[in-house]
Amino acid sequence: MLQAETEVIPKLFTDFSSAAHPLTLLPLAGQLLLVITLFQKSPGKTLTLLGMAGIGSLLSVMFVIGAAILDIKMVLSTLPFFLIGWMIVKHHLRKKPTWEHQA
């Protein structure tokens, strides 16, 4: 991903039309949202889930392509993201709103 980012980010400023594609912009936006949550005192559920969805758009396509061409390495490389994402979603769904804790 780092290699792809180093190629895409400069193109966004020099030749936006060649880099403007949903599978490049959504994961970059997702990463930016997750970096923002990294510096928050208590990360918000909305930003976290939106960031994961942005990155998940690219990884979902990679998973489907890997499964379609039977590339086990490509499929296995996406599984850690989906496992951790599932655990984060499960944690956020179990978490009670802050106003209930104060009662």
Side-chain angles (χ1 to χ4, degrees):
M1 276 185 87
L2 182 63
Q3 180 183 1
E5 287 174 0
T6 57
E7 293 175 14
V8 170
I9 291 174
K11 283 186 181 181
L12 287 174
F13 297 108
T14 58
D15 187 17
F16 184 78
S17 61
S18 69
H21 188 277
L23 285 178
T24 58
L25 297 179
L26 283 175
L28 281 174
Q31 261 188 324
L32 181 63
L33 289 174
L34 289 178
V35 167
I36 290 170
T37 63
L38 185 64
F39 294 107
Q40 291 179 332
K41 188 173 184 174
S42 59
K45 176 170 53 171
T46 305
L47 285 181
T48 303
L49 295 178
L50 285 174
M52 286 178 35
I55 296 174
S57 65
L58 176 63
L59 290 173
S60 297
V61 170
M62 287 176 54
F63 178 83
V64 169
I65 291 171
I69 64 173
L70 301 175
D71 186 350
I72 192 70
K73 288 181 184 178
M74 188 181 289
V75 170
L76 290 177
S77 71
T78 61
L79 292 181
F81 173 81
F82 291 124
L83 177 65
I84 292 170
W86 175 75
M87 290 169 37
I88 290 171
V89 168
K90 186 177 173 183
H91 170 74
H92 280 300
L93 290 177
R94 175 175 45 145
K95 198 174 180 181
K96 292 184 179 183
T98 57
W99 54 269
E100 286 185 10
H101 291 296
Q102 296 173 356

